[in-house]
Amino acid sequence: GAGVSQTPSNKVTEKGKYVELRCDPISGHTALYWYRQSLGQGPEFLIYFQGTGAADDSGLPNDRFFAVRPEGSVSTLKIQRTERGDSAVYLCASSSLVSTGELFFGEGSRLTVL
Amino acid sequence: DQQVKQNSPSLSVQEGRISILNCDYTNSMFDYFLWYKKYPAEGPTFLISISSIKDKNEDGRFTVFLNKSAKHLSLHIVPSQPGDSAVYFCAASAQETSGSRLTFGEGTQLTVNP
């Protein structure tokens, strides 16, 4: 498709389990971002990739969170030993190199940790 | 600390009237501001933006005003339509930060009544 694609759209897991969330950005977009949106809040920055490398991971809350983008396209956000507080919508966005600041968001992956 | 703040969680207006959504920021390094619109179960979509070198940007029914001295921006929608009912997020970026990393406000739920 033409837009940012995220899978799964919904994920329910148990506390302590491992979770992977996938993002397929718009073709040709070199920049990819992960955000997290909790209920009643705006999206909160997690990590930014330029190509294959994480240019800024300062938003990752702790070392249970990790993201990769091995070929500079699809990215996977990995959460280890999930906690109930990780429950949120995880949004992926991409932008082109010449973007003036506009990010294109996917529909998000809703994670529920029981 | 909340660098971008939207103090009104909700706003209700009558169809045909003007909707005014407000946003304040604290970081003087922000130089680019955007408004995003979000429908339930969808990702945020870009609406309109403004650079800090301007004080107004207009696109059809949508106008964004920027008051740098007050660190305040507003989004005007006129005339408002029922299809405008959504959550509106104000966002800001600083040129010196990585890529197009955006800092979002908490959002304002706009309801336009027929």
Side-chain angles (χ1 to χ4, degrees):
Chain A
V4 176
S5 175
Q6 291 188 246
T7 55
S9 54
N10 273 288
K11 175 71 177 178
V12 180
T13 191
E14 293 180 344
K15 181 175 178 295
K17 299 289 188 183
Y18 170 79
V19 164
E20 286 190 355
L21 306 174
R22 176 190 164 108
C23 173
D24 199 342
I26 292 172
S27 176
H29 279 187
T30 57
L32 185 146
Y33 304 78
W34 283 99
Y35 282 79
R36 176 169 72 171
Q37 185 177 13
S38 301
L39 195 62
Q41 300 296 316
E44 177 188 20
F45 171 80
L46 295 176
I47 187 169
Y48 155 63
F49 288 89
Q50 185 59 258
T52 60
D56 183 354
D57 64 358
S58 62
L60 294 177
N62 52 60
D63 60 6
R64 296 187 296 106
F65 288 75
F66 190 71
V68 295
R69 195 187 184 198
E71 297 177 358
S73 178
V74 171
S75 175
T76 304
L77 178 66
K78 309 180 180 196
I79 310 173
Q80 297 177 319
R81 304 183 304 280
T82 52
E83 299 178 357
R84 291 195 180 88
D86 299 335
S87 297
V89 176
Y90 288 82
L91 294 163
C92 177
S94 68
S95 68
S96 67
L97 195 60
V98 294
S99 167
T100 52
E102 178 184 346
L103 303 186
F104 295 84
F105 283 87
E107 295 185 348
S109 292
R110 179 177 295 279
L111 174 66
T112 303
V113 182
L114 301 177
Chain B
D1 85 66
Q2 190 71 25
Q3 297 187 56
V4 178
K5 196 145 184 62
Q6 295 175 254
N7 288 313
S8 297
S10 64
L11 175 68
S12 183
V13 300
Q14 208 61 32
E15 181 178 6
R17 298 288 184 99
I18 185 171
S19 296
I20 300 176
L21 297 101
N22 293 301
C23 176
D24 297 293
Y25 62 95
T26 57
N27 189 340
S28 57
M29 299 305 293
F30 287 146
D31 54 11
Y32 197 73
F33 304 89
L34 307 90
W35 285 92
Y36 278 79
K37 175 171 149 178
K38 186 180 182 308
Y39 292 117
E42 294 184 11
T45 55
F46 171 75
L47 190 57
I48 193 170
S49 62
I50 187 167
S51 164
S52 60
I53 62 173
K54 295 185 174 181
D55 54 18
K56 176 182 174 181
N57 188 27
E58 189 172 354
D59 183 3
R61 296 185 298 113
F62 303 90
T63 303
V64 57
F65 295 92
L66 174 62
N67 182 335
K68 280 184 293 184
S69 61
K71 294 193 176 67
H72 177 84
L73 64 155
S74 61
L75 174 68
H76 292 210
I77 307 173
V78 55
S80 301
Q81 299 173 354
D84 296 330
S85 298
V87 177
Y88 288 78
F89 291 101
C90 169
S93 69
Q95 193 172 15
E96 86 285 358
T97 61
S98 54
S100 299
R101 172 179 172 170
L102 299 180
T103 301
F104 285 85
E106 310 94 322
T108 297
Q109 170 71 59
L110 173 66
T111 302
V112 180
N113 301 301

